[in-house]
Amino acid sequence: MITLKFSTALFIAAALTTGTASAQTGSLNAICSTDQGWCEMAAKEFTKATGITVNQTRKATGEALAQLRAEAANPKTDIWWGGTGDPFLQAAEIGLLAPYRPDYLNDLHSWSVRQYAMTQNMVGGFYTSAIGFGWNTELLKKKKLPEPKCWADLVKPIYKNEVEISHPASSGTAYTILAGLVQLMGEDAAFDYMKALHKNVTQYTRSGTAQAPNVAKGEVAVGISFIFGFDMWRHQKYPVASTAPCEGTSYEIGGIALVKGARNAANAKRYYDWLMSPAGQSIGGKADSLQSPANKTFKPDPRIPSMDKVRLIKYDFEKYGKSAERRRLLERWNKDVGALAK
């Protein structure tokens, strides 16, 4: 039996006392950057529990960061949650976020707690997951293509126009891939690799969540994204398989943060605490979003892919979470890769 710690129990007590009768407890404005299903279900369940209205939009992390920068002088967003952590770290660095160190840190995994320490409590670790490949088994069989197992496989000519990936300027997923390859291979070798991969890429999508459904529905043979996304479609009986690249791979620690100057700061904190509680964290599995949750006081969905056998690189979140480093890498990517003809 799981013993509820003080913070979680306090939240539940508050929710029970407010109930649905608290329809006048106000509202908050949120940006959610994780899967659409999780975004929608979380907002609905939180409102049901507290009576607080959640005005929430779903944006890729790169787009969310751009919006917060544009709003800096007059913030309209109160809380930002979900999606890859690097853009959150950049937002913290340039002063867009408010510090918040919750009193339930002992309920969280160490990788989540480290994000607080690294950002002076402006960013928490919301979940984690690893980058990998997914492919449509029926499409590969039809085209007589082998299953890719390594980064080296994806640049082979046989995969020309068969690979889909997101765009690093708009997608935190793609930036995690870009920064990971730089750390894995060295910068010049990584850009040589991405130029070779470009020949096989059919399109660069705005969001890093597009690859899994596109692979599952047979719109593309191979996708590069977070492994959990492909596994979700496999569990729904689509012809999808996935793997982590043999050479090693990067991973994310998804972010959660309060926005500096938020108009609805008290309600935003309540949403934040609920999202990090077992009630909020378990929404991921219920919405078929299978990242590994930060809260360790409940039993996570058994479908969540294990990272035990994934060869993870030693990802330098501090360096590659800097806005200047992101800008530099994106400028080089646009010049060396994005400008290439298709």
Side-chain angles (χ1 to χ4, degrees), residues 50 125 138 146 203 206 248 282 301:
T50 65
E138 293 178 354
Q203 68 167 331
R206 285 177 58 195
S282 65
D301 192 297

Side-chain angles (χ1 to χ4, degrees), residues 86 99 110 118 175 207 303:
D86 288 331
S110 58
M118 191 168 64
Y175 180 74
S207 172
R303 298 173 299 162

Side-chain angles (χ1 to χ4, degrees), residues 70-98:
E71 293 178 359
N74 185 24
K76 297 178 176 62
T77 304
D78 303 309
I79 180 174
W80 176 25
W81 65 279
T84 51
D86 288 331
F88 283 82
L89 302 182
Q90 291 143 25
E93 180 196 358
I94 58 180
L96 299 176
L97 306 178

Side-chain angles (χ1 to χ4, degrees), residues 165-170 174-175 177-179 181-182 187 190-198 201 203-205 325-340 342:
I165 190 171
S166 48
H167 197 293
S170 60
Y175 180 74
I177 296 168
L178 166 59
L181 289 172
V182 167
E187 186 167 325
F191 274 92
D192 287 342
Y193 174 84
M194 287 181 283
K195 284 186 279 187
L197 180 65
H198 179 80
V201 171
Q203 68 167 331
Y204 295 96
T205 62
E325 184 66 6
R326 178 179 184 269
R327 183 168 58 250
R328 185 186 71 80
L329 286 178
L330 290 180
E331 287 175 354
R332 182 169 182 182
W333 188 91
N334 285 326
K335 175 173 163 286
D336 289 6
V337 183
L340 294 174
K342 286 297 294 176

Side-chain angles (χ1 to χ4, degrees), residues 12 15 44 61 255 270 284:
I12 292 174
K44 180 180 177 181
T61 47
R270 290 190 69 185

Side-chain angles (χ1 to χ4, degrees), residues 163-166 200-205 211 214 219-220 342:
V163 180
E164 184 181 282
I165 190 171
S166 48
N200 292 345
V201 171
T202 180
Q203 68 167 331
Y204 295 96
T205 62
Q211 285 63 52
N214 290 349
E219 295 174 10
V220 67
K342 286 297 294 176

